[in-house]
Amino acid sequence: MGKRVGVLMGGWGEEREISLKTGEAVVAALETLGHTVTRVFAGPGLDRALRAADIDVAFLALHGRMGEDGRVQGLLELLEIPYTGSGVLASALAMDKPMAKKLFQLHNLASPQGYRVAREDAERALELHGDSGFPCVVKPAKGGSSVGLSVVHDAGALVPAVVQACRFGGEALVERFVQGQEVTVGILGDSVLGSCEVSYPREGFDYEAKYKGGGAQYFLPPRLSDTRRVNVESLALAAYRALGCRGYGRVDLMCSDTENDVVLEVNTLPGFTPTSLLPKIAARAGLDFPALVQGVLDRATRDESHVAEAAPLAPTAPVPLRVAR
């Protein structure tokens, strides 16, 4: 029996255009599956729009800040509306890349060495960089779709790259550049769907390559030995679990030329556009686009954090105030 599904799309940030494409693709699939669909455009007044929508469940087609970072998830928790994807804490942790790196380290999961730079410290980036060396990757500390990402080859380009990255959220993450193959792993529920290698003609799988026909090539499965591919997929699932993710996700990694594999980031709301990677991975695993959308919808839930009823406190005698002399 079909559900009343609200597809949340749009949003506040620089990834609005991609969110709208994801949303429309999801709407078409849900309608094909027999669900009653309402488009809910995220922005100011979202709480009122959700109350007016009269939905059973929210399908989050949002990307980036104010959509993928736990804030919309928190609103849905307060409104008691089940939603797709990870919960409040996992969403916030995954979006905050430096914080996610700390969790990876805590779980002994390899990630490129890096440091955070706040906007007010951007002009001190060279001082903070110290002997970290070049090339390095500079990107927003909280963001997605490779918006604001730069590969920096020399000291003269570092400060401008940090200033550019800080335009998107106020903080930059500077990481050691890892030479190798970029691999992304798709996860549905708590199982790996498969993996895909992304190859592109210039450094960095940037916004242009992802969404505007920038010459990217995709290899399913990745051009790795079977043993290494299984290890990479296991590393991805461990990173997803380390952040407490649920529902579905996509984990990006670098498989270095020196046979070391490192986690770059966990995407809690990966794209569902015609060029998006998770649908490609799912298709190779035997799930067409509507089946993938249904699989994500079936796993919609809430954190279900209820405050237990506490027994009334017994009255206590007042504690006398002591004045220091």
Side-chain angles (χ1 to χ4, degrees), residues 59-63 84-86 187-189 240 245-250 267-272 278 292 296 299:
F59 196 112
L60 301 188
L62 299 168
H63 303 308
T84 57
S86 291
I187 297 171
L188 181 61
Y240 174 89
C245 297
R246 69 170 185 232
Y248 73 115
R250 206 193 73 227
N267 301 276
T268 54
L269 293 179
F272 275 72
L278 183 62
L292 175 62
V296 170
R299 291 165 174 80

Side-chain angles (χ1 to χ4, degrees), residues 60-92:
L60 301 188
L62 299 168
H63 303 308
R65 291 180 293 137
M66 290 293 289
E68 200 168 351
D69 59 7
R71 285 183 271 194
V72 169
Q73 289 80 358
L75 172 61
L76 292 163
E77 292 285 347
L78 292 174
L79 296 176
E80 299 186 347
I81 299 173
Y83 54 93
T84 57
S86 291
V88 177
L89 180 59
S91 298

Side-chain angles (χ1 to χ4, degrees), residues 31-322:
E31 289 178 339
T32 299
L33 293 163
H35 299 290
T36 301
V37 183
T38 301
R39 292 171 176 81
V40 181
F41 293 98
L46 176 59
D47 58 329
R48 295 189 296 274
L50 285 167
R51 287 187 176 96
D54 189 27
I55 57 176
D56 300 317
V57 60
F59 196 112
L60 301 188
L62 299 168
H63 303 308
R65 291 180 293 137
M66 290 293 289
E68 200 168 351
D69 59 7
R71 285 183 271 194
V72 169
Q73 289 80 358
L75 172 61
L76 292 163
E77 292 285 347
L78 292 174
L79 296 176
E80 299 186 347
I81 299 173
Y83 54 93
T84 57
S86 291
V88 177
L89 180 59
S91 298
L93 289 171
M95 180 55 63
D96 189 326
K97 295 179 177 65
M99 188 60 68
K101 289 172 78 69
K102 292 181 180 180
L103 268 292
F104 298 152
Q105 292 166 6
L106 186 65
H107 287 80
N108 294 317
L109 305 174
S111 181
Q113 292 181 340
Y115 59 93
R116 186 195 299 256
V117 184
R119 178 185 284 123
E120 57 269 24
D121 294 325
E123 297 300 327
R124 296 178 51 237
L126 270 175
E127 175 189 342
L128 296 170
H129 196 71
D131 60 358
S132 296
F134 296 94
C136 63
V137 177
V138 181
K139 55 189 174 184
K142 300 177 183 179
S145 292
S146 299
V147 174
L149 181 146
S150 305
V151 178
V152 176
H153 289 273
D154 56 68
L158 181 61
V159 169
V162 169
V163 170
Q164 167 72 3
C166 285
R167 290 181 54 222
F168 306 99
E171 292 182 318
L173 173 64
V174 183
E175 287 184 318
R176 179 174 59 88
F177 179 81
V178 178
Q179 184 69 46
Q181 298 160 263
E182 184 161 339
V183 173
T184 191
V185 178
I187 297 171
L188 181 61
D190 196 45
S191 301
V192 170
L193 280 175
S195 52
C196 171
E197 177 189 345
V198 184
S199 178
Y200 29 87
R202 55 183 179 273
E203 290 176 320
F205 188 33
D206 58 12
Y207 187 92
E208 187 78 16
K210 283 184 177 180
Y211 301 113
K212 296 185 179 294
Q217 291 182 286
Y218 308 101
F219 298 92
L220 295 99
R223 294 173 295 179
L224 302 169
S225 69
D226 288 344
T227 299
R228 191 172 183 193
R229 176 184 55 77
V230 169
N231 289 339
V232 166
E233 291 176 352
S234 297
L235 176 59
L237 186 58
Y240 174 89
R241 290 171 173 168
L243 300 184
C245 297
R246 69 170 185 232
Y248 73 115
R250 206 193 73 227
V251 183
D252 297 337
L253 310 96
M254 284 298 298
C255 301
S256 80
D257 295 341
T258 57
E259 297 290 314
N260 295 314
D261 306 318
V262 295
V263 179
L264 298 179
E265 62 182 274
V266 176
N267 301 276
T268 54
L269 293 179
F272 275 72
T273 72
T275 59
S276 294
L277 299 172
L278 183 62
K280 294 180 189 294
I281 293 168
R284 189 174 187 279
L287 285 177
D288 63 14
F289 191 80
L292 175 62
V293 169
Q294 185 64 56
V296 170
L297 183 66
D298 288 342
R299 291 165 174 80
T301 186
R302 292 172 45 228
D303 285 343
E304 299 288 357
S305 298
H306 298 301
V307 178
E309 290 187 10
L313 293 175
T316 57
V319 179
L321 268 177
R322 294 184 179 179

